[in-house]
Amino acid sequence: MQSLLSLCAVQVTRHQTLACRALASLPRELYPALFQAAFMYGRTLVLQALVQTWPYPCLSFRQLLPKPKQLGWPERPRKESVQAVILALLAAPRRRPQLRVLDMTGFLDASCGQDPTTMSMWARSVAVARTCLSAQTQARAAQRLAKRRKLEPQAPVTNPVEVHTDLLVNRTSYSVLKEALQTSTCGPLRLRCRDLWAEELSGPSTVALLELLDPVCLRQVDLRFNNLGLSGLCTVVPHMAKFTHLLSLKLQYSNVDVRRLTAEAENSFQHFVSAIGQLRCLKELNMGSSRLSGRLHQLLSSLQGPLESLELPFCALLPGDLSYLAQSPHATHLKKLDLSGNKLSGDFLGPFQRLLREASASLLCLDVTECQLMDVHLVSTLPALRCCTHLRYLGLYGNPLASAGMKTLIEHSQTFRELQLVVYPVPVDCYKDLPWPPSSANLLEGTVDEEKLASVQAELQQLIRATQHQDVLWTMDIYGHSSFDYFSL
């Protein structure tokens, strides 16, 4: 429920012209509440006036905006609000004398791509870049005008505003973002990147961007669909050593396969391992869809400290990889573990269970989607899984589990007092003519007996209610919920 102050701020900002006139006479303590109301309800005139007269050194979205789904507020802010804040930065510096940092980080809405009323991360990145370029153009125009009028030349910018943001870069936006990063080093708006997401960029283009980023501000690098291969990663990763606060590195879909390496490729792998080892603060690593069979020990033993988040989906892991991980220093520190798409049955089951026991004190998120786990494997794993008493998320989608296995899991779920979300598969006894054992494709494309599924779901929901743990979401929808980001754990 909104506070009385928030409700009053919502009413005040409804009358935008009057609210703008009144700002000069309002105490500075009201600015945060007015900004929150104006932003969430799209009061763009008030937003621009607030930014231009902001009475504090820092304006942070993360500190000021309500948390997602907080009662009383719109579910998502409108894109007009983001645009208004960005455009307000083009005001003359004297109109925002106190503001030194605009922090727009952490404003990632995973579903914004499907909602035309919101502003995507890509669009925000481009808008911020163009605003920085426009501010620099204005500053240069003012210098030229002063020179023509033989006025006292303006001093270089002494009170620039640092714009902290997360950037999503692809081939379409690469040029404008690169130019903005190049020119903002001495302009009135200084672009600072916290999390960099780069898609479908070449190795040289990625290196060129990394060279322009502030070595202190960068927290995460996410390179996806770049098809860099080992040789490309050997070119890119060494340039990350300068980032002293780099905590997260994601290299999914990088076209890495270490199973049958040539002598040259083996040298590239050793070079890559050495470069990863230079990242002193690394806490999260994602090597999704890299074929790492039998080489996990070499990769992870080079790191200078234990990881807290390890994502290895579809990495063709071997039992020896899981055994190493269970015995490694990383196991007891893991908060998030993603082993999706790796076989965990048969010879893999024992090492996997040992890994769970070692990680049990710290593990919060476990994703074992499409891991060929049947009822017998799940029941066998329950003693180890129940040791993970702090578990918040469990991903089981795409496994050939029957309704009996799901009922057993639900009956034992009271152990997980912090559990928030379980994504489970359509039970195999709800399919028509399913081959056995079924592949992931069979489970995805097979014909479901909708009547049987409805009956089974009713039984599962009744069992969930009996556990008196009804605040946990049990769902078969793998996409209809927010992911558990490492930095939010």
Side-chain angles (χ1 to χ4, degrees):
M1 183 177 295
Q2 291 178 328
S3 67
L4 180 59
L5 175 60
S6 296
L7 291 171
C8 291
V10 170
Q11 293 302 314
V12 168
T13 56
R14 286 181 62 188
H15 307 283
Q16 296 197 62
T17 303
L18 293 176
C20 291
R21 292 174 183 170
L23 283 180
S25 58
L26 293 178
R28 54 183 275 172
E29 289 78 12
L30 295 180
Y31 268 64
L34 291 170
F35 180 89
Q36 186 180 71
F39 194 95
M40 296 305 295
Y41 286 93
R43 303 330 171 14
T44 56
L45 294 178
V46 179
L47 271 176
Q48 293 199 31
L50 285 167
V51 174
Q52 292 168 1
T53 59
W54 194 251
Y56 302 99
C58 179
L59 194 165
S60 171
F61 280 19
R62 283 177 293 134
Q63 294 176 7
L64 294 175
L65 299 184
K67 300 295 184 291
K69 298 184 179 180
Q70 188 170 324
L71 291 177
W73 293 102
E75 184 175 354
R76 300 186 190 96
R78 303 173 185 176
K79 62 182 178 182
E80 290 84 358
S81 297
V82 184
Q83 291 169 334
V85 172
I86 295 171
L87 291 174
L89 294 173
L90 292 176
R94 64 179 178 275
R95 296 190 62 189
R96 40 179 170 77
Q98 301 299 322
L99 186 61
R100 294 293 174 269
V101 176
L102 172 63
D103 189 347
M104 300 174 64
T105 59
F107 191 57
L108 176 60
D109 183 353
S111 61
C112 63
Q114 289 75 41
D115 187 346
T117 67
T118 63
M119 196 173 192
S120 70
M121 187 178 182
W122 182 88
R124 289 196 300 274
S125 301
V126 172
V128 169
R130 287 176 175 165
T131 301
C132 290
L133 290 172
S134 296
Q136 180 74 331
T137 300
Q138 287 183 0
R140 289 172 178 169
Q143 291 278 2
R144 289 194 298 268
L145 181 61
K147 186 176 181 180
R148 283 200 304 268
R149 294 180 176 179
K150 298 183 180 180
L151 300 175
E152 191 71 27
Q154 295 184 357
V157 178
T158 55
N159 295 316
V161 174
E162 290 191 1
V163 183
H164 293 214
T165 187
D166 302 324
L167 296 177
L168 173 56
V169 189
N170 58 20
R171 284 178 291 183
T172 306
S173 62
Y174 174 77
S175 295
V176 67
L177 284 164
K178 180 181 178 183
E179 185 181 0
L181 288 166
Q182 286 173 327
T183 60
S184 70
T185 55
C186 57
L189 299 180
R190 308 287 170 89
L191 192 56
R192 300 286 185 266
C193 177
R194 185 189 68 162
D195 295 348
L196 175 68
W197 297 33
E199 296 181 353
E200 300 178 339
L201 292 185
S202 67
S205 294
T206 304
V207 169
L209 276 183
L210 292 174
E211 290 299 299
L212 295 171
L213 299 181
D214 189 295
V216 175
C217 292
L218 194 66
R219 183 186 71 167
Q220 181 183 74
V221 174
D222 187 333
L223 308 180
R224 54 180 62 192
F225 309 113
N226 293 306
N227 200 32
L228 294 172
L230 279 174
S231 60
L233 291 177
C234 289
T235 300
V236 171
V237 176
H239 291 270
M240 301 180 189
K242 69 173 184 177
F243 300 114
T244 55
H245 294 85
L246 183 64
L247 299 175
S248 172
L249 177 60
K250 299 193 174 189
L251 301 172
Q252 57 266 48
Y253 306 107
S254 291
N255 190 24
V256 171
D257 189 340
V258 302
R259 291 176 293 185
R260 290 177 293 275
L261 296 179
T262 63
E264 182 180 356
E266 180 65 34
N267 288 334
S268 294
F269 179 66
Q270 298 300 334
H271 188 189
F272 169 64
V273 167
S274 176
I276 289 284
Q278 299 303 310
L279 307 179
R280 297 187 296 275
C281 297
L282 198 66
K283 294 298 181 184
E284 178 175 46
L285 180 63
N286 183 328
M287 293 296 299
S289 296
S290 298
R291 301 297 188 258
L292 300 175
S293 307
R295 309 299 291 269
L296 196 62
H297 174 269
Q298 287 175 272
L299 178 64
L300 299 186
S301 62
S302 69
L303 300 178
Q304 298 189 25
L307 294 172
E308 295 181 356
S309 174
L310 180 59
E311 296 172 287
L312 300 170
F314 300 93
C315 284
L317 299 180
L318 300 178
D321 294 313
L322 296 177
S323 295
Y324 157 72
L325 191 55
Q327 300 168 12
S328 74
H330 306 287
T332 55
H333 292 80
L334 288 175
K335 296 180 181 179
K336 182 177 181 179
L337 177 63
D338 185 352
L339 297 174
S340 300
N342 295 286
K343 183 179 179 181
L344 294 179
S345 58
D347 293 340
F348 296 77
L349 191 61
F352 170 57
Q353 292 171 351
R354 289 194 292 274
L355 174 57
L356 286 183
R357 291 191 182 94
E358 291 299 320
S360 60
S362 59
L363 194 61
L364 304 178
C365 299
L366 175 64
D367 199 337
V368 287
T369 297
E370 296 187 31
C371 289
Q372 303 179 33
L373 293 172
M374 303 180 191
D375 283 12
V376 63
H377 308 127
L378 180 61
V379 172
S380 172
T381 303
L382 273 176
L385 189 61
R386 291 179 63 189
C387 293
C388 305
T389 54
H390 300 292
L391 201 65
R392 299 178 191 173
Y393 170 77
L394 177 60
L396 292 169
Y397 192 84
N399 287 292
L401 298 171
S403 57
M406 288 306 306
K407 291 176 182 178
T408 302
L409 176 62
I410 293 170
E411 289 169 352
H412 289 83
S413 65
Q414 289 180 320
T415 305
F416 312 118
R417 293 298 179 184
E418 299 178 31
L419 193 62
Q420 300 174 21
L421 176 64
V422 179
V423 181
Y424 64 94
V426 174
V428 291
D429 46 319
C430 296
Y431 283 88
K432 297 178 181 178
D433 303 321
L434 191 67
W436 197 261
S439 66
S440 296
N442 295 146
L443 296 174
L444 182 63
E445 301 169 2
T447 302
V448 176
D449 185 334
E450 298 294 344
E451 185 176 345
K452 178 68 180 295
L453 178 59
S455 174
V456 168
Q457 282 185 303
E459 293 177 17
L460 296 180
Q461 288 302 318
Q462 184 177 3
L463 202 57
I464 291 169
R465 287 192 292 271
T467 65
Q468 298 181 344
H469 204 177
Q470 299 179 41
D471 53 338
V472 180
L473 175 60
W474 295 74
T475 178
M476 293 186 298
D477 184 358
I478 195 171
Y479 299 113
H481 53 82
S482 299
S483 61
F484 283 75
D485 179 72
Y486 163 67
F487 292 106
S488 68
L489 298 177

